[in-house]
Amino acid sequence: MLTLLKNAKVYAPEPLGKHDLLIAGGKLLAMESELTLSGSIPHRTVDLNGLIVAPGLVDSLVHITGGGGEGGFATRTPEMTLTQATRGGVTTVVGALGTDATTRSLADLVAKARALEEEGISAYCHTGSYQYPVRTITGSVTDDIVLIDKFIGVGEVAISDHRGSHPSVAELIRLASEARVGGMLAGKGGVVSIHVGDGGDQLDPLLEAVATSEIPIRQFYPTHINRNPGLLNSGFRFAEAGGVIDFTTSHNQQIIDDGEVLAAEALALAINRGISVNNLTMSSDGNASLPIFSRDGELIGLEVGRVDSLFSALRQAIKDFDVPIEQALTAVTATPAKVLGLAQKGRVQVGKDADFICVDPASFAIEQVWAKGKQLVVNGEPACKGMFE
Ligand code: ZN
């Protein structure tokens, strides 16, 4: 079945003006200022009446099988459901294990990614773990990336964090080499997703790894860079050296009070400093745990990171921090797709996957979401649910 979307205001993410879009076989088949199909060709027409059409969001870090557990077994967070992603316009997710690679497994992660794919969105994941030596399925990071379809990189591996294994610079170089070769052999990104904690080393281990090896800086993809103002500055230097940095959009009030910079604000600060949006991304860290502590450090509550915080941060960057729409969009679509090596994703372009968000130009609220040519959100509400929702 062909689908013709009429009267779209396209941001590819760069603004292209008014276009009609023809979807077939899950791909964008044609995009012209005016497209008409003869009545003898079976098709569905949807008039978008001037809605903004932008690429579906690419969320580069979601704990799709759940995360947390740092306050005991009862604090393990639940799996992500399909509509938690689609409600927020996320049509591509990259799953990873979190702090717990003991009761959570890579096999489960691959199975969940395949389930999300069957339910309608695109899902990939990273082999490896917070801890070093990293967990694998085959015994080798390279082999995992080459042989297992869903693995596109390794991580999130923790540095500068008391919960990580404090990998040495030599170990980070070895890990990046293994991921890089796996990526080359399989035609994938082979990126090393790096969780950066509160520790004083900040991004120094990565800068040293790049300075003392042949590993390109873009092989490392550090996240949580808006965790505190000091790390943010370290991240700016990393981006100015050619690296790509990622800001986390799941927050709670206590995390902000403790010094985390809003992802939308961090994006605006970076852009105002002259850093290209090709070096900046945002991700949700969805389904991670967001602990709430009392004044004397006792765990008194637990919230769960939300995948739809990614869209909220996009909207906030545009509405509250005056980031131009195309630049804010780039940080959650084209740039993460490029870093991750997802050639079919992140752009509204003929031949690429038909993953779109349709947004009201005044309120910037999501009206429709399309993934692989199928409409998953109608009038702002999910039209398709996951198997157990
Ligand atoms: Zn993390």
Side-chain angles (χ1 to χ4, degrees):
M1 174 68 118
L2 299 175
T3 305
L4 182 59
L5 303 181
K6 299 286 290 180
N7 302 311
K9 185 179 178 187
V10 176
Y11 281 81
E14 65 277 10
L16 298 181
K18 191 233 153 231
H19 281 83
D20 295 345
L21 295 85
L22 183 62
I23 301 170
K27 307 269 181 200
L28 180 60
L29 189 65
M31 179 166 64
E32 303 285 343
S33 55
E34 182 77 45
L35 277 171
T36 44
L37 288 181
S38 96
S40 62
I41 302 171
H43 68 279
R44 175 187 172 206
T45 300
V46 178
D47 192 346
L48 296 178
N49 284 314
L51 290 179
I52 287 175
V53 170
L57 272 48
V58 178
D59 194 339
S60 63
L61 180 60
V62 184
H63 298 289
I64 55 175
T65 53
E70 291 134 304
F73 294 111
T75 65
R76 298 165 83 254
T77 65
E79 287 193 355
M80 188 198 80
T81 62
L82 176 72
T83 61
Q84 286 171 344
T86 56
R87 226 176 241 290
V90 171
T91 55
T92 301
V93 291
V94 180
L97 297 178
T99 321
D100 177 3
T102 302
T103 75
R104 311 276 190 186
S105 76
L106 291 169
D108 193 30
L109 198 63
V110 170
K112 176 68 181 179
R114 289 189 181 144
L116 289 167
E117 198 76 49
E118 286 177 13
E119 289 177 341
I121 62 172
S122 298
Y124 306 89
C125 44
H126 290 318
T127 185
S129 50
Y130 247 48
Q131 292 78 21
Y132 188 91
V134 296
R135 303 289 202 276
T136 64
I137 287 182
T138 64
S140 146
V141 167
T142 305
D143 293 2
D144 272 16
I145 294 173
V146 173
L147 298 175
I148 298 172
D149 58 349
K150 287 294 169 198
F151 286 143
I152 59 169
V154 61
E156 51 174 333
V157 177
I159 64 166
S160 307
D161 195 302
H162 61 98
R163 294 165 294 180
S165 304
H166 305 88
S168 68
V169 170
E171 286 168 334
L172 288 169
I173 293 171
R174 172 68 59 84
L175 184 65
S177 310
E178 289 173 358
R180 181 172 170 78
V181 172
M184 290 165 79
L185 294 177
K188 298 177 180 177
V191 78
V192 187
S193 165
I194 299 281
H195 158 108
V196 190
D198 269 325
D201 288 349
Q202 298 173 337
L203 291 169
D204 292 351
L206 302 187
L207 290 168
E208 198 181 330
V210 171
T212 57
S213 73
E214 287 72 46
I215 300 292
I217 195 167
R218 292 177 73 93
Q219 207 74 37
F220 293 107
Y221 185 21
T223 186
H224 314 317
I225 300 303
N226 51 323
R227 186 185 286 281
N228 59 58
L231 180 57
L232 187 60
N233 272 315
S234 173
F236 289 165
R237 290 193 294 279
F238 188 83
E240 282 161 354
V244 179
I245 53 173
D246 183 65
F247 305 130
T248 299
T249 61
S250 283
H251 316 279
N252 62 22
Q253 193 52 48
Q254 190 170 49
I255 290 171
I256 298 294
D257 292 346
D258 286 348
E260 183 153 319
V261 181
L262 286 171
E265 185 179 5
L267 183 68
L269 287 168
I271 290 170
N272 291 340
R273 197 179 150 116
I275 297 172
S276 164
V277 79
N278 298 325
N279 297 73
L280 303 167
T281 69
M282 298 195 288
S283 65
S284 72
D285 201 14
N287 292 58
S289 62
L290 301 175
I292 306 166
F293 296 102
S294 70
R295 290 201 177 278
D296 22 317
E298 196 189 331
L299 182 74
I300 52 169
L302 201 66
E303 292 169 345
V304 179
R306 295 176 62 115
V307 178
D308 63 6
S309 67
L310 186 60
F311 184 82
S312 303
L314 166 69
R315 193 170 178 278
Q316 192 176 34
I318 295 164
K319 291 273 183 194
D320 298 347
F321 293 99
D322 298 323
V323 177
I325 291 180
E326 60 272 23
Q327 295 210 21
L329 278 169
T330 300
V332 291
T333 59
T335 303
K338 185 137 197 261
V339 183
L340 296 164
L342 302 175
Q344 288 302 307
K345 302 297 183 187
R347 294 191 56 79
V348 179
Q349 190 176 317
V350 171
K352 294 200 188 289
D353 288 349
D355 296 346
F356 311 127
I357 53 172
C358 305
V359 176
D360 184 287
S363 65
F364 212 80
I366 292 179
E367 291 288 324
Q368 301 181 15
V369 177
W370 297 73
K372 293 181 280 186
K374 197 171 160 210
Q375 190 170 13
L376 300 185
V377 171
V378 181
N379 298 326
E381 288 300 322
C384 296
K385 292 192 170 173
M387 184 64 77
F388 297 106
E389 292 191 87

